[in-house]
């Protein structure tokens, strides 16, 4: 993917893309970062905020790769924030802007469970979570399940009516365990509006899936 895809922050993207993603996780690759960027710019156009800080936050929010089943998963955003700070400091960024980017990256993660305090952090969190719901979110869910070696569903009890939800074993358990909860936690009005539509799409995916089994 070329830096031009991150207009109007092409120059920043050209500098940061080499640091943006590591590993081979197709759910947290440069395509994911570009989708989050598009979401963030859509929200930013309505909500405001510092575009440069936001763009850098998006580009570096997954700069440390931690697998979903790793015991370090809850630390992923902290590790990424620390790495991003070093990168931006080496580029000569002002301390206040580095801190703003680091805060946005630290608080974007669902696993970290830290509330965002700045507008840029709120936008990044919303933009990243929009990529976890809707059609792309469903696709990423099944992709990650395959990567982790999970089954699609429990054939004896697909909706977990008589067992605990276990999204480490069954892909569709992740819908109820996490994905359906995301729409209620959006930080910006623009994010909430987009999330409502994508949440409905996610529900349709599960309904159609269940209809076929």
């Amino acid at each position: 993917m070329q830096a031009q895809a991150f207009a109007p922050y092409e120059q920043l993207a050209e500098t940061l893309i080499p640091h943006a993603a590591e590993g081979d996780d197709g759910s947290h690759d440069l395509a994911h970062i570009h989708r989050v960027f598009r979401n963030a710019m859509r929200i930013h156009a309505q909500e405001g905020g510092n575009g440069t800080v936001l763009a850098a936050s998006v580009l570096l929010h997954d700069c440390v790769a931690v697998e979903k089943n790793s015991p370090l998963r809850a630390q992923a955003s902290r590790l990424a924030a620390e790495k991003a700070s070093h990168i931006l400091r080496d580029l000569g960024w002002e301390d206040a802007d580095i801190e703003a980017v680091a805060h946005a990256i630290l608080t974007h993660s669902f696993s970290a469970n830290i509330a965002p305090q700045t507008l840029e952090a709120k936008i990044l969190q919303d933009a990243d979570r929009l990529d976890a719901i809707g059609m792309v979110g469903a696709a990423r869910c099944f992709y990650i399940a395959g990567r982790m070696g999970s089954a699609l569903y429990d054939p004896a009890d697909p909706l977990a009516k008589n067992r605990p939800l276990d999204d480490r074993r069954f892909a569709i358990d992740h819908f109820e365990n996490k994905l359906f909860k995301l729409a209620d936690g959006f930080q910006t009005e623009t994010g909430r509006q987009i999330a409502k539509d994508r949440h409905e799409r996610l529900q349709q995916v599960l309904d159609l899936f269940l209809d076929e089994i």
Side-chain angles (χ1 to χ4, degrees):
M1 183 172 291
Q2 301 299 312
Q4 287 78 8
F6 294 87
Y9 300 98
E10 300 96 322
Q11 186 172 354
L12 179 63
E14 186 172 359
T15 301
L16 296 183
I17 281 175
H19 307 284
E22 62 180 21
D24 61 351
D25 182 355
S27 67
H28 293 89
D29 57 4
L30 197 55
H32 162 70
I33 292 169
H34 183 245
R35 292 192 302 271
V36 174
F37 176 80
R38 291 182 63 191
N39 292 337
M41 291 299 106
R42 183 175 175 182
I43 298 170
H44 170 59
Q46 299 297 319
E47 305 283 342
N50 185 317
T52 301
V53 166
L54 180 59
S57 302
V58 171
L59 283 159
L60 295 176
H61 80 277
D62 279 339
C63 64
V64 173
V66 180
E67 292 284 2
K68 288 288 187 181
N69 59 355
S70 169
L72 293 176
R73 183 61 194 170
Q75 300 298 318
S77 65
R78 179 184 61 80
L79 296 171
E82 291 174 355
K83 181 177 178 179
S85 296
H86 289 305
I87 292 168
L88 297 177
R89 190 166 289 112
D90 288 345
L91 292 172
W93 276 48
E94 298 289 336
D95 287 345
D97 290 337
I98 294 172
E99 290 174 7
V101 171
H103 173 71
I105 294 173
L106 175 65
T107 60
H108 88 274
S109 170
F110 183 88
S111 302
N113 195 28
I114 303 172
Q117 301 299 319
T118 66
L119 179 55
E120 295 79 18
K122 292 175 181 179
I123 293 174
L124 174 60
Q125 186 181 99
D126 281 4
D128 188 60
R129 292 186 182 186
L130 284 172
D131 204 50
I133 57 179
M135 296 299 295
V136 170
R140 291 177 72 209
C141 175
F142 290 121
Y143 169 87
I144 293 169
R147 186 178 176 87
M148 298 296 104
S150 305
L152 290 177
Y153 62 97
D154 179 356
D157 188 3
L159 290 177
K161 293 181 178 179
N162 298 297
R163 62 173 177 82
L165 288 166
D166 186 352
D167 56 4
R168 290 180 178 268
R169 293 183 62 200
F170 307 114
I172 67 168
D173 281 23
H174 196 58
F175 283 65
E176 192 64 44
N177 210 33
K178 176 183 176 181
L179 302 184
F180 285 150
K181 299 175 182 177
L182 293 179
D184 292 332
F186 276 72
Q187 303 287 332
T188 67
E189 181 58 32
T190 305
R192 282 190 288 272
Q193 292 174 0
I194 302 170
K196 182 179 178 181
D197 291 338
R198 295 200 184 181
H199 179 84
E200 291 174 356
R201 295 177 193 174
L202 192 65
Q203 182 66 63
Q204 290 173 358
V205 170
L206 182 59
D207 289 345
L208 291 170
F209 183 92
L210 293 171
D211 182 64
E212 295 185 10
I213 62 173

